[in-house]
Amino acid sequence: MRQRLIVGNWKMFTTAAKARRLAADVVEELGSETRVRVALCPPVPYLGIVGEVLSGTAVALGAQNVYPENEGAFTGEIGINMLLDLRCRYVIVGHSERRHTLGEDDRFINRKVVAALAAGLEVIACVGETLEQRRKRQTRACLESQLISALSGLTAEQVRHVVVAYEPVWAIGTGVNATPEQAQESAAEIRELVKERFGEESARALLILDGGSVNATNAATLMHLPDMDGGLIGHASLEADQFLSIVRSSL
Ligand code: PGA
């Protein structure tokens, strides 16, 4: 049985004070919860603050992005060693907002996956089709090309440290979540693709998260689909009550 994982992606929201309070509220409720894994991914400037609040608790710290080097002349970027230094356990890679708004391509995303895993981080690799691709029945082809590219060069052992988030672009921040049928179908395809490339064991162990307008109302259904193992939660993770209710509904 795979242990569920619920990740809060705070995106470019919160202030230092709000980040501290939000993390403290989550910890107060879930600090010793071990039935489900929970991680919070604050904006980079607040990683240190949130890390302090999470320290010694069961709630893990994650980053929303990383540059695939430890250090160097890369103005404005965040090195892998910096995330380790701040005690991040997870890093989100290939998020749709970075692909489509910041122009990251599959090759760059793969470099991040490889470098982050080599350093010992757990990678949350995001994949998802646009509305146009879904309408043209290209969802599977899109998931396949993004996934195969993101995982290129990895061993089956390394894939065990990858979590895949299925986030249809049209569902992110829109209030229109994937239906349970769409989410399950895509999750099953992702698991099948991993099985083809990395074998049965890696596929069976793979955690797949649903993302895109997951909230306290729809989470109970989406988190319990046969191939879904949790959620990557954006806006609904910015209010402690909503986020905690999503975590509870995953139990
Ligand atoms: P949303 O974002 O829950 O606000 O749709 C999810 C995500 O982008 O990770």
Side-chain angles (χ1 to χ4, degrees), residues 6-163:
I6 309 290
V7 181
N9 172 14
W10 295 357
K11 307 196 181 195
M12 204 173 73
F13 292 106
T14 71
T15 59
K18 171 153 187 188
R20 188 190 303 279
R21 202 171 47 243
L22 188 50
D25 287 348
V26 171
V27 160
E28 198 181 320
E29 272 300 300
L30 300 172
S32 55
E33 177 61 75
T34 51
R35 287 171 296 171
V36 55
R37 277 195 271 162
V38 177
L40 301 180
C41 303
V44 168
Y46 308 141
L47 278 171
I49 294 171
V50 172
E52 272 173 32
V53 178
L54 303 188
S55 173
T57 77
V59 181
L61 184 65
Q64 300 172 20
N65 184 31
V66 72
Y67 191 82
E69 299 284 344
N70 283 328
E71 59 176 11
F74 301 106
T75 301
E77 291 297 323
I78 315 131
I80 290 175
N81 273 353
M82 295 166 191
L83 297 189
L84 294 172
D85 203 17
L86 289 164
R87 286 174 298 194
C88 284
R89 174 165 172 193
Y90 295 97
V91 62
I92 299 171
V93 173
H95 190 280
S96 146
E97 284 145 17
R98 299 211 61 86
R99 289 180 191 267
H100 299 287
T101 313
L102 282 304
E104 291 191 7
D105 64 15
D106 282 335
R107 227 179 96 71
F108 191 43
I109 290 163
N110 174 245
R111 280 181 60 205
K112 294 181 182 209
V113 172
V114 170
L117 287 174
L121 288 160
E122 311 257 331
V123 169
I124 300 168
C126 304
V127 294
E129 81 286 1
T130 62
L131 190 55
E132 199 190 346
Q133 286 170 321
R134 177 160 282 277
R135 285 194 177 131
K136 290 184 175 162
R137 301 188 182 282
Q138 293 168 348
T139 299
R140 192 193 152 92
C142 165
L143 298 182
E144 176 163 16
S145 87
Q146 288 182 346
L147 193 69
I148 295 317
S149 167
L151 305 184
S152 168
L154 302 187
T155 63
E157 166 52 31
Q158 283 178 308
V159 170
R160 277 177 219 144
H161 299 280
V162 176
V163 174

Side-chain angles (χ1 to χ4, degrees), residues 148-185:
I148 295 317
S149 167
L151 305 184
S152 168
L154 302 187
T155 63
E157 166 52 31
Q158 283 178 308
V159 170
R160 277 177 219 144
H161 299 280
V162 176
V163 174
V164 176
Y166 169 60
E167 297 206 306
V169 178
W170 48 269
I172 297 176
T174 59
V176 182
N177 58 285
T179 65
E181 293 73 25
Q182 290 168 329
Q184 169 54 28
E185 185 182 26

Side-chain angles (χ1 to χ4, degrees), residues 158-234:
Q158 283 178 308
V159 170
R160 277 177 219 144
H161 299 280
V162 176
V163 174
V164 176
Y166 169 60
E167 297 206 306
V169 178
W170 48 269
I172 297 176
T174 59
V176 182
N177 58 285
T179 65
E181 293 73 25
Q182 290 168 329
Q184 169 54 28
E185 185 182 26
S186 293
E189 279 169 3
I190 289 166
R191 203 174 295 289
E192 186 60 33
L193 286 164
V194 167
K195 184 175 159 191
E196 280 166 19
R197 303 273 161 155
F198 299 98
E200 174 90 45
E201 219 178 300
S202 299
R204 217 177 317 117
L206 181 75
L207 290 189
I208 303 177
L209 310 184
D210 191 29
S213 298
V214 176
N215 58 36
T217 310
N218 60 29
T221 313
L222 294 168
M223 306 294 94
H224 290 282
L225 298 169
D227 281 292
M228 220 38 112
D229 307 297
L232 180 54
I233 318 299

